[in-house]
Amino acid sequence: MKFQLAWLHQYFSGDIPDPRHLAERLTSAGFILEGIEGEGEAAILDVEMTANRPDAMNHRGLGRESALALGRAYRDSAWTIELEETGPDAAELASVTIEEPELCSRYSARVIAGLRPGEATAAVKNRLEAIGSSRISGPVDATNHVLWDIGQPLHAFDLDLLAKDADGRPAIIVRRARPGEMLVTLDGIARTLTPEMLVIADAEKPVALAGIMGGLDTAISEKTTRILLESAHFHPPVVRRGAKALGMHTDASHRFERGTDPSATIEGLDRAARMILESNGGSLARGVIDVLARPIPRRTIRLRMKRVAGFLGMDVPEERIFNIFAGLGFTWQSVGEGVLEVTVPTARIDLEIEVDLIEEIIRHVGYATLPETLPPAYNPVEVLPHLVLEERTRDLMAGMGLFEVCTYSFVSGDENAPFVSLAPATAALIANPLGEPFTTMRATPLAGILKSAQQNIRRGQGDIGLFEVGRAYGMDGDKPVESRRVTFLLAGNENVHWAAPARPVDFFDGSGVASALLSGLGVESVAFEKAVFPFLSEGRTARILCGGKPVGWVGVLSPELSARWDLTDPVAGEIDLGLISIPPAPSSIEAPSRFPGSSVDLTVTHRKNLEWRVLAEAIRGGAPAELTGLGVLYQYAGAGVPEGFVKTTVSLAFGSVERSLSREEINGWRDAAARRILRVSETRVDGIDE
């Protein structure tokens, strides 16, 4: 957006600043200069203007920022406007009605009669030419000058071309467009309107698109002798929707879409009227037609001075803060110890909460002055239970050797179709998808996990263990529904131990993951029952039950889906975390011992149908407190082992937090465990006499 330095200088005291110095100061205050053309007062500044600062998309707004950035006094005395009004009242010459107060809070108008054709004054033409704005005629150039000067878009109607109301006055009606209405805009294009669009109409038809562009039929021309000047405040979303629907973008819509100053409508009229009278003559009707449908007061924000220092990590003197507020046009009053109520101009639509005021302070103090300090440690006093559950789930799944993935919630309808039965309700379709692959909200995270698995397979990673803690989506009528789930996928081979041959994963690996997860979460009464799911292989599928209630599923993916994703008999499972409850998480941790521990092995020969629980209870029963771990290393069945028996090698870990253990102690505890095992029916321990 281009600004003329001489025009900006109108709004602050002192000599014309060096363009590069001003560019540096404005950039520091958040207005990045993209380029400078020319030198001295003729310099043109090309400023990158963010969408949240429509107040600065004009010379007065940026001039105020320039004054503060340079440490100059802000001034606007050059436009103390005194207009000579003659003839009848403006309200006798035209009528204004607002039918949509939520979409148009204010509509102001002035009437000028006795115009003669002509161009704008040299000063106005030179300014508009400098910033690249087209010159059209004296009245139109005056409205464009006001837009670039104070940010208030205006429009001029040929008063004699407006249809009259029942009172015989040319009428202005702010209303929604009616279905099928047409309007030929100033660019000569006939446009079909819809009720979502706001229009300015006369007594018969639309004559302008509110906040976007006027109509050709009521445009001023060399024959125009009377004009009605429009200055209004429109609701930004209605302008944005209308401009987008019609594929239009104008200087006016650019500002109305972002928000204009509702208090500037009359000032804009007066500035334009002064220029038109100077360039095109005529007489100004008495008064202003000013319809205020919905007052928009100045916003008041509370600011705690201690919060300024706490947020910025540095102290800013109160005098400096007050100077910044005064330079920006804020007013304030003390309402308590170290607490201010700050009232901001109506043009500053971007200021809503306390931190917005703090940002205004640091913008002009300088971001470079912020100290480089680490923020204080933060330990939340309250953690949401579902987040605790999800985090513990991630820890347990990763502890079982699975890798966490994070996949898109958007999938294609084809990818989602096999899993629609898993959605919390019906499938959730997206009204305005980004593209074909993103038309549906996933019914289960499994859709994304399968994509990840396929990518790994195609890159030579055949042994896969993936999980995701995420959400599934559905629609219950017109109400969106979500559920939090953990979903996993196993594919390829399972390497049980370095000494054992690899084997393909099967259903029991999946049910083992589900069982271990629920056990690790502290869930009791876990069971599996035979079930049928359309996307799983029949006979290798189960429903997961907790306390007799279904909470998830596990099974081998159907051959058709497996082939689609380049997989061979992958095992998948899912648990709805919203259907389970877990005991409170431990509130303390135990540091590891500084003394080294030791482990010993025992090989037990037992019948194949002997449960591991029996062996584990025999080893742990009567074991000393120094027993810190028990696990299975491997099993062997073959030569030297009787038919129906198997050898299981277990590892016993011992350690103490108080001292180092002797080899004699460890061997003694091992032998004691062996003797307890011997008491289990039909078992023997290698190297231990019965």
Side-chain angles (χ1 to χ4, degrees):
M1 192 168 286
K2 293 185 177 182
F3 298 84
Q4 185 189 46
L5 181 54
W7 196 346
L8 286 174
H9 182 236
Q10 170 185 301
Y11 290 104
F12 55 84
S13 62
D15 297 333
I16 289 276
D18 178 72
R20 288 164 184 78
H21 176 63
L22 177 58
E24 180 182 337
R25 298 301 304 137
L26 285 175
T27 298
S28 177
F31 299 94
I32 300 174
L33 268 292
E34 296 183 325
I36 301 175
E37 302 172 11
E39 297 290 339
E41 65 178 16
I44 303 298
L45 308 181
D46 191 358
V47 184
E48 179 184 330
M49 198 64 64
T50 55
N52 68 317
R53 291 302 304 272
D55 64 290
M57 295 178 182
N58 55 82
H59 284 77
R60 179 166 68 178
L62 192 62
R64 180 184 285 278
E65 290 283 348
S66 300
L68 187 54
L70 293 170
R72 309 275 189 93
Y74 171 74
R75 65 185 184 188
D76 195 10
S77 57
W79 284 95
T80 302
I81 302 170
E82 295 181 3
L83 296 171
E84 181 181 352
E85 299 176 338
T86 60
D89 290 340
E92 297 177 8
L93 302 175
S95 67
V96 173
T97 304
I98 298 177
E99 293 186 356
E100 296 288 341
E102 292 301 316
L103 306 182
C104 176
S105 68
R106 189 174 192 174
Y107 193 103
S108 307
R110 271 193 178 275
V111 175
I112 302 176
L115 289 181
R116 62 175 183 268
E119 297 181 347
T121 62
V124 171
K125 290 191 294 184
N126 290 340
R127 283 183 170 181
L128 294 178
E129 285 178 351
I131 61 174
S133 180
S134 301
R135 296 184 318 172
I136 300 174
S137 65
V140 175
D141 290 353
T143 62
N144 287 337
H145 186 281
V146 171
L147 179 145
W148 283 103
D149 190 23
I150 68 170
Q152 176 61 43
L154 306 175
H155 182 66
F157 294 100
D158 187 323
L159 186 65
D160 295 317
L161 297 179
L162 294 174
K164 299 177 181 179
D165 59 15
D167 295 334
R169 294 176 297 173
I172 289 291
I173 304 170
V174 185
R175 61 170 172 82
R176 290 183 181 272
R178 298 185 179 114
E181 280 190 319
M182 300 288 294
L183 174 66
V184 179
T185 47
L186 288 173
D187 54 9
I189 299 175
R191 303 181 187 275
T192 302
L193 311 180
T194 67
E196 287 73 34
M197 301 172 188
L198 188 69
V199 298
I200 311 301
D202 60 15
E204 299 175 355
K205 61 190 179 303
V207 293
L209 288 168
I212 304 173
M213 186 178 287
L216 187 61
D217 291 344
T218 55
I220 63 173
S221 65
E222 292 184 355
K223 298 179 181 180
T224 300
T225 59
R226 297 198 304 164
I227 64 171
L228 182 141
L229 278 176
E230 165 196 283
S231 183
H233 177 260
F234 300 115
H235 189 47
V238 73
V239 178
R240 187 181 309 120
R241 287 194 295 267
K244 182 178 180 180
L246 295 171
M248 302 178 69
H249 183 269
T250 63
D251 287 337
S253 69
H254 189 83
R255 287 154 180 80
F256 278 125
E257 287 177 19
R258 289 155 178 78
T260 58
D261 184 358
S263 66
T265 58
I266 294 179
E267 182 186 7
L269 288 175
D270 290 348
R271 288 179 180 246
R274 175 177 171 177
M275 286 182 282
I276 292 171
L277 293 173
E278 185 177 350
S279 62
N280 298 85
S283 60
L284 180 65
R286 298 181 186 278
V288 178
I289 305 172
D290 186 28
V291 180
L292 183 61
R294 178 170 53 87
I296 300 179
R298 298 179 69 180
R299 186 178 292 117
T300 298
I301 306 170
R302 181 161 293 202
L303 176 67
R304 296 163 292 174
M305 303 303 284
K306 286 186 177 179
R307 179 61 173 155
V308 176
F311 191 86
L312 298 178
M314 59 182 283
D315 290 319
V316 180
E318 284 193 3
E319 183 179 358
R320 178 70 171 127
I321 294 175
F322 296 156
N323 287 338
I324 292 171
F325 285 175
L328 293 172
F330 301 174
T331 59
W332 63 92
Q333 63 177 352
S334 176
V335 293
E337 184 67 27
V339 181
L340 302 178
E341 275 194 354
V342 182
T343 303
V344 301
T346 49
R348 292 301 303 272
I349 64 170
D350 58 312
L351 304 180
E352 297 181 348
I353 57 178
E354 185 178 48
V355 292
D356 293 334
L357 295 179
I358 298 174
E359 182 182 11
E360 294 301 290
I361 295 169
I362 194 58
R363 275 200 311 114
H364 285 282
V365 170
Y367 291 106
T369 64
L370 288 171
E372 296 181 4
T373 57
L374 291 174
Y378 173 66
N379 184 24
V381 295
E382 181 181 359
V383 180
L384 297 176
H386 72 269
L387 296 181
V388 174
L389 174 59
E390 290 180 7
E391 196 58 32
R392 290 176 65 181
T393 299
R394 291 186 177 96
D395 291 341
L396 290 166
M397 296 297 279
M400 285 185 272
L402 279 73
F403 291 91
E404 184 175 10
V405 296
C406 184
T407 63
Y408 285 118
S409 297
F410 303 117
V411 295
S412 70
D414 187 46
E415 292 166 348
N416 196 63
F419 312 110
V420 169
S421 61
L422 297 178
T426 59
L429 303 180
I430 300 171
N432 55 340
L434 297 174
E436 177 55 33
F438 309 108
T439 60
T440 311
M441 299 295 287
R442 67 189 185 192
T444 168
L446 182 60
I449 294 177
L450 286 169
K451 279 187 177 180
S452 297
Q454 185 183 56
Q455 290 177 356
N456 278 273
I457 289 289
R458 291 178 175 179
R459 286 161 177 77
Q461 302 298 321
D463 301 333
I464 297 170
L466 304 175
F467 78 94
E468 179 172 1
V469 177
R471 299 183 183 183
Y473 304 89
M475 292 294 294
D476 185 2
D478 59 353
K479 180 182 177 182
V481 183
E482 299 180 5
S483 65
R484 299 174 180 271
R485 302 179 182 180
V486 54
T487 309
F488 63 88
L489 179 78
L490 307 175
N493 291 323
E494 175 69 21
N495 294 300
V496 179
H497 186 262
W498 62 269
R503 60 169 179 77
V505 296
D506 58 22
F507 167 83
F508 297 102
D509 292 302
S511 61
V513 168
S515 180
L517 171 62
L518 293 170
S519 176
L521 292 173
V523 178
E524 299 179 351
S525 303
V526 178
F528 299 87
E529 69 174 12
K530 185 177 179 180
V532 175
F533 291 89
F535 54 90
L536 297 177
S537 298
E538 188 173 354
R540 295 188 289 176
T541 301
R543 183 176 286 107
I544 305 171
L545 307 176
C546 290
K549 297 180 179 179
V551 298
W553 53 267
V554 62
V556 178
L557 207 63
S558 69
E560 295 80 12
L561 281 178
S562 298
R564 174 179 174 180
W565 297 105
D566 301 334
L567 300 168
T568 302
D569 288 344
V571 181
E574 185 171 82
I575 296 172
D576 191 330
L577 297 176
L579 300 178
I580 64 175
S581 58
I582 62 173
S587 59
S588 63
I589 60 173
E590 186 174 306
S593 173
R594 63 189 182 91
F595 299 100
S598 184
S599 62
V600 291
D601 298 343
L602 282 177
T603 299
V604 182
T605 302
H606 59 85
R607 286 193 176 276
K608 288 184 177 180
N609 61 358
L610 182 69
E611 295 181 2
W612 162 250
R613 174 182 55 81
V614 176
L615 285 177
E617 289 177 353
I619 295 172
R620 294 186 183 279
E626 286 79 3
L627 179 64
T628 59
L630 171 63
V632 176
L633 293 180
Y634 48 83
Q635 288 185 320
Y636 170 75
V641 179
E643 183 70 24
F645 283 77
V646 66
K647 283 190 173 185
T648 299
T649 298
V650 298
S651 176
L652 288 69
F654 296 95
S656 171
V657 297
E658 299 175 348
R659 60 188 176 86
S660 295
L661 302 178
S662 68
R663 176 51 56 183
E664 290 75 15
E665 287 178 298
I666 294 173
N667 289 341
W669 291 330
R670 177 203 60 193
D671 294 344
R675 286 190 290 272
R676 291 193 297 274
I677 292 174
L678 290 174
R679 290 195 288 270
V680 178
S681 175
E682 293 190 78
T683 61
R684 68 174 183 269
V685 181
D686 291 7
I688 301 295
D689 296 331
E690 299 187 16

